[in-house]
Amino acid sequence: MNKRDAVMVTIDTKELYEILEETPAEQNIMLAGKHGIGKSEIITKFFSEKGLKVVSLFLGQMSDPGDLIGLQKTSADGKTTEFLPPYWFPQDDTPVVLFLDELNRARQEVLQTIMDLALNRTLAGRKLPAGSRVISAVNSGEQYQLTELDPALVSRFNLYDFRPTVKDWLDWAKENSIDERVISFILKNPALLDSDGESEKDFPTLDKTPDRRGWEKVSKIIFGKSEPSRTTCKLMCGIVGVKVGLMFYNSLSKKASVTGRDVLTAFPRVKQQIEYLSLPELCEINKDIFNELNTHNLGENAIKMCSINCTGYFNLLQEKRFSQATEHFILQFSENNFKKANLFIVKYVPDLYNRLSHFIMKL
């Protein structure tokens, strides 16, 4: 990880999970990437779910090797010296995952202690329990103040350039209850999820730029606020930067939800956005679809387009296992409040009609 351009294998989140699964415990892993993209969170989550303790050490904060290997003391007989084990070192034979964060921010004297650890799983003469793992994370890019790593140290790690995709984050955001307004904004402005590392080199030192960690903070700031105040706007600008913060704040006053007409006339365009909507929003779309079909006289071309898109939408609900939204769609049809819309489905979308009828019979 020096100033020359490094050539690395690039992986996304799904591939990282697969690599963590398949890499033997005796092989070390080094993840290179920008700040705030979830390296430490993924490592902790993955191994914690397997029952392994994850010990995170921020090497950039260590002033000397003693912070890592422990302090020296005189032996009981007074004839030799030995090192007291550091607080994190295992006290039994239970394996651990040692996560060395900010490896290329560490002082050179700290890095020297990592050599034996990476090669022999030994630290100041003490061996880590069998089955323990060593994983490191480094920041890559000219915008960071970094320590040049010795090629001999790098050679002791399997090296990967971790670049999670926007979809990786959107999937994570939905699973972790990130505010739907943030998700909608990123869907429409994917380039604003992370700042461009190249452009960061030209920014003043204290200029804030967006990152994934920042958007999680923004979500917490606006939680429960239907109309965020100007003060809230300033809070968000302090997290993701003034330009992006203002763009997001202005977007909050606009209706972001997908409409029934959007589904019927442009389903491929809004399909991805639908995948990240909440159950109440999906139910609103369901009602809106039946309202649209119930109130408009459609020409031949529109009939064909609406038939295809309506089927595509219902397929999406089933594929994504939106069971409650699927049941709500069926309920709109079964209650017969939209006679014209129901007739449209019966006449022009017979396959969908048969499927809906099948579901109704099972209820």
Side-chain angles (χ1 to χ4, degrees):
M1 304 307 300
N2 52 38
K3 294 180 180 178
R4 299 187 300 274
D5 291 335
V7 178
M8 291 178 277
V9 176
T10 299
I11 59 173
D12 59 23
T13 300
K14 180 176 180 293
E15 291 167 326
L16 174 55
Y17 276 111
E18 292 172 351
I19 284 171
L20 294 176
E21 187 70 53
E22 295 183 21
T23 301
E26 65 271 15
Q27 295 185 20
N28 308 318
I29 293 173
M30 180 183 292
L31 299 177
K34 294 177 55 184
H35 62 278
I37 58 175
K39 298 186 291 291
S40 58
E41 182 178 355
I42 290 173
I43 297 299
T44 301
K45 181 176 183 292
F46 179 84
F47 288 108
S48 295
E49 289 178 349
K50 291 183 174 293
L52 290 171
K53 180 181 179 181
V54 179
V55 179
S56 296
L57 299 176
F58 296 92
L59 302 188
Q61 300 175 6
M62 295 183 176
S63 58
D64 62 59
D67 293 337
L68 180 63
I69 63 177
L71 298 177
Q72 200 174 54
K73 71 165 187 173
T74 304
S75 64
D77 59 11
K79 295 180 180 180
T80 59
T81 59
E82 59 188 28
F83 287 94
L84 289 167
Y87 73 93
W88 56 265
F89 202 89
Q91 300 299 308
D92 53 27
D93 294 330
T94 304
V96 298
V97 178
L98 196 56
F99 181 54
L100 308 177
D101 206 357
E102 302 180 338
L103 183 67
N104 58 343
R105 291 180 182 269
R107 295 171 178 266
Q108 286 291 352
E109 54 268 31
V110 174
L111 289 176
Q112 294 305 313
T113 67
I114 302 298
M115 287 285 202
D116 196 25
L117 181 64
L119 184 61
N120 301 312
R121 295 292 196 277
T122 302
L123 195 62
R126 295 185 187 84
K127 270 196 167 295
L128 289 173
S132 293
R133 295 173 179 267
V134 177
I135 299 176
S136 69
V138 298
N139 292 130
S140 59
E142 295 181 15
Q143 67 269 36
Y144 300 106
Q145 296 178 353
L146 305 173
T147 303
E148 189 169 341
L149 297 183
D150 189 318
L153 176 60
V154 176
S155 71
R156 299 180 184 187
F157 289 84
N158 300 346
L159 180 59
Y160 305 99
D161 184 11
F162 179 46
R163 297 189 185 184
T165 64
V166 173
K167 187 177 185 304
D168 287 339
W169 184 85
L170 288 169
D171 291 340
W172 171 88
K174 185 177 181 181
E175 293 174 2
N176 288 271
S177 302
I178 296 300
D179 192 282
E180 291 146 9
R181 292 167 291 181
V182 173
I183 293 175
S184 179
F185 181 78
I186 297 303
L187 275 166
K188 294 178 179 178
N189 304 278
L192 299 181
L193 175 59
D194 301 291
S195 59
D196 182 347
E198 288 299 311
S199 63
E200 273 188 6
K201 293 185 293 185
D202 302 323
F203 290 163
T205 304
L206 290 179
D207 198 2
K208 287 288 291 184
T209 55
D211 60 41
R212 298 167 190 235
R213 187 185 298 137
W215 285 115
E216 183 179 4
K217 293 179 182 178
V218 167
S219 174
K220 293 178 179 178
I221 291 291
I222 65 172
F223 179 77
K225 298 177 180 177
S226 57
E227 296 183 8
S229 66
R230 294 294 297 178
T231 300
T232 301
C233 176
K234 291 183 178 182
L235 279 170
M236 295 188 297
C237 287
I239 297 171
V240 295
V242 175
K243 180 180 178 180
V244 176
L246 285 173
M247 286 178 62
F248 177 66
Y249 178 76
N250 291 333
S251 76
L252 296 180
S253 62
K254 300 174 183 177
K255 184 174 177 58
S257 185
V258 177
T259 66
R261 178 169 293 187
D262 292 333
V263 172
L264 293 172
T265 61
F267 175 68
R269 178 174 59 81
V270 298
K271 179 179 178 181
Q272 187 180 27
Q273 188 173 349
I274 292 171
E275 294 179 17
Y276 297 95
L277 296 180
S278 65
L279 176 60
E281 288 175 312
L282 290 172
C283 291
E284 283 300 315
I285 291 177
N286 290 344
K287 289 190 289 186
D288 210 18
I289 287 173
F290 278 86
N291 274 319
E292 285 289 325
L293 294 175
N294 212 53
T295 57
H296 289 83
N297 293 314
L298 303 175
E300 186 175 341
N301 291 336
I303 287 174
K304 184 177 181 180
M305 175 182 61
C306 290
S307 301
I308 294 171
N309 289 338
C310 190
T311 301
Y313 171 73
F314 188 78
N315 289 343
L316 179 65
L317 294 183
Q318 291 194 285
E319 288 168 7
K320 294 297 178 179
R321 298 183 180 178
F322 296 145
S323 57
Q324 290 177 289
T326 302
E327 291 173 3
H328 182 267
F329 186 97
I330 297 168
L331 188 63
Q332 304 309 299
F333 179 79
S334 66
E335 289 186 343
N336 205 29
N337 293 325
F338 304 96
K339 293 184 179 180
K340 189 175 177 181
N342 286 6
L343 183 60
F344 174 88
I345 293 175
V346 171
K347 186 175 181 180
Y348 298 111
V349 204
D351 179 62
L352 179 57
Y353 166 69
N354 289 333
R355 291 162 64 190
L356 294 175
S357 299
H358 179 70
F359 278 111
I360 293 170
M361 291 175 63
K362 291 172 61 177
L363 294 178

